[in-house]
Amino acid sequence: DARWNAFCAKRDAVDAEVARLRKTWVNPTTVDASTAERVAGKALDHEYNLFELLRRPEVRHAALAQLPGGAADLPTAVVEQVEILAKYQGYIDRQADEVQRRASQDDTLCRGARPLHRGAAEAHRHPADEFGPGGAHPRHHSGYHLLAAGASQAPAPQRFRKSRRRMSLAILLDTGLAELDLPLPGEVRERLLAYVALLDKWNHTYNLTAVREPTAMVTQHILDTLAILPHLPGGSMADIGSGGGVPGVPIAISQAERPVTLVESNQKKAAFLRQVAIELSLANVEVVEGRVESLEGRSFDVLISRALSELPEFAQMAGHLLAPGGSIVTMKGLYPHEELAALAQPWSVRDVVALRVPGLDAARHLVLAGAAA
């Protein structure tokens, strides 16, 4: 439709401008010090591409026109999105540097700590600046008394490793949301990351997903689901064959106003889904342990599934649960030519949307179907 075409045109224009900025280089010999100070706040000390300069908080896209090759006549919406991407990348780079700095600091603390009795520890005060700004004395770390005298290569305390991993997942999620042009409140992002943590924690016990790494879960489960949000019809939803909760849980977290029913016949997986709803305080989520037949007499505006079955089978199995005017939605990889051709009356395809999932180099399509008019 017109909105989708406009979105694609904007996305392509943003990608083209980012690529142009990355290929345009300036250096101290091509830009004099006064011009560099007006644009970037200080003289250039080496060669930069324009996207690198735009990452800086103080640099605006319009100011780049003062540099060689920096001028561009673009719609305001495109310029704003390019700046958002650049600032996000700059933020991510600074956070990554901070993570590395803290990791080095933590490792230094662990290597330098000595096992001391409490009396000796009180007597031997280390200057605060030995541990960096705001650094804590090693005896205040939870793992201090476990450090052996000969453990020169002791690992960083587990709580620091968890903190660094959560920070990297948050950066990955925020980057993906920026690419999707999908702003979500901080509370929603925190719940999405908490869901990933629960999925990772219980996956080894319940075999919830074949994806084992939390970073891959963010890309293949969270961002893969969030990419469909702009195209979903409104109203109540049933996620048929929910498994570990994808796509139902990320949708319920992101759209708290939408009632979401997670249907799962596996007892252990259904128990996990109930625990997720409790721990994440998802008041809009209902878990039904059983097969589709257990929902007899109920109806939903949207029936969705990601990996349950092919579209014709899904429509035949669950179509009786669809409210009048409702939609059957399936998440697919490659364009499902054969499935669409096999869809029979009373069902018809309404739309097939090509998706781009940040960080995922694979085809993704969203199929929307319903009762033929």
Side-chain angles (χ1 to χ4, degrees):
D1 59 12
R3 290 178 59 193
W4 173 243
N5 291 335
F7 170 80
C8 290
K10 176 185 173 184
R11 181 194 63 193
D12 293 343
V14 169
D15 290 346
E17 176 62 3
V18 169
R20 187 187 72 84
L21 294 176
R22 289 185 187 278
K23 293 187 293 185
T24 305
W25 294 83
V26 292
N27 58 58
T29 63
T30 60
V31 179
D32 60 80
S34 61
T35 302
E37 288 176 0
R38 287 198 306 272
V39 175
K42 63 180 181 179
L44 303 181
D45 54 359
H46 63 275
E47 189 173 44
Y48 296 88
N49 67 51
L50 297 187
F51 192 76
E52 288 177 312
L53 291 179
L54 192 57
R55 291 177 186 176
R56 299 181 181 181
E58 67 276 9
V59 178
R60 302 304 301 269
H61 186 276
L64 297 179
Q66 302 176 50
L67 303 178
D73 185 15
L74 296 170
T76 301
V78 172
V79 171
E80 289 177 349
Q81 188 62 37
V82 170
E83 285 200 352
I84 289 172
L85 288 174
K87 304 312 180 192
Y88 255 102
Q89 188 61 56
Y91 166 78
I92 290 165
D93 290 343
R94 292 190 293 275
Q95 290 296 317
D97 290 342
E98 178 66 10
V99 169
Q100 185 60 42
R101 186 189 70 79
R102 291 188 182 185
S104 299
Q105 186 182 60
D106 295 342
D107 291 341
T108 300
L109 284 175
C110 290
R111 288 195 300 269
R114 294 191 180 95
L116 299 172
H117 296 295
R118 182 172 297 278
E122 293 295 332
H124 184 64
R125 296 285 185 181
H126 289 258
D129 59 1
E130 181 178 343
F131 305 105
H137 189 286
R139 69 186 176 84
H140 295 309
H141 286 268
S142 59
Y144 169 71
H145 296 292
L146 300 179
L147 294 174
S152 61
Q153 298 298 324
Q158 185 176 6
R159 65 190 180 94
F160 288 113
R161 292 199 300 271
K162 287 184 177 180
S163 175
R164 289 198 296 271
R165 184 174 71 172
R166 185 172 180 83
M167 183 180 291
S168 66
L169 294 180
I171 291 171
L172 180 62
L173 177 60
D174 285 349
T175 305
L177 290 174
E179 291 188 33
L180 290 172
D181 195 14
L182 187 66
L184 292 178
E187 181 183 356
V188 171
R189 300 199 303 272
E190 284 297 317
R191 282 184 174 179
L192 290 170
L193 293 175
Y195 169 57
V196 170
L198 289 172
L199 199 58
D200 179 45
K201 177 181 178 181
W202 293 104
N203 194 33
H204 301 289
T205 303
Y206 289 166
N207 194 28
L208 301 167
T209 171
V211 179
R212 300 298 178 185
E213 294 298 324
T215 52
M217 290 177 182
V218 171
T219 299
Q220 298 182 37
H221 292 332
I222 304 302
L223 295 177
D224 191 44
T225 298
L226 298 182
I228 75 174
L229 291 186
H231 314 288
L232 283 179
S236 61
M237 171 181 289
D239 178 10
I240 308 297
S242 189
V246 181
V249 170
I251 292 173
I253 292 173
S254 305
Q255 300 180 335
E257 74 286 353
R258 182 196 296 271
V260 177
T261 300
L262 309 176
V263 183
E264 176 53 50
S265 61
N266 182 282
Q267 182 181 10
K268 290 183 178 180
K269 292 180 180 179
F272 168 75
L273 294 176
R274 283 192 289 269
Q275 190 63 28
V276 166
I278 292 171
E279 292 201 25
L280 301 186
S281 301
L282 300 179
N284 60 325
V285 167
E286 174 192 5
V287 178
V288 173
E289 181 183 332
R291 302 180 66 84
V292 173
E293 292 77 10
S294 62
L295 293 169
E296 203 66 42
R298 300 183 58 179
S299 64
F300 303 89
D301 299 305
V302 180
L303 301 176
I304 193 168
S305 100
R306 188 166 83 152
L308 180 65
S309 63
E310 294 189 349
L311 177 58
E313 296 171 350
F314 181 43
Q316 182 178 4
M317 172 179 59
H320 63 284
L321 300 174
L322 196 63
S327 299
I328 294 176
V329 180
T330 56
M331 299 170 66
K332 299 293 180 180
L334 296 173
Y335 192 96
H337 294 279
E338 295 182 0
E339 292 184 40
L340 301 185
L343 190 63
Q345 292 290 337
W347 310 107
S348 65
V349 176
R350 294 174 178 169
D351 198 6
V352 181
V353 181
L355 303 169
R356 187 177 65 172
V357 179
L360 191 62
D361 187 18
R364 286 291 186 270
H365 290 85
L366 186 71
V367 179
L368 297 97

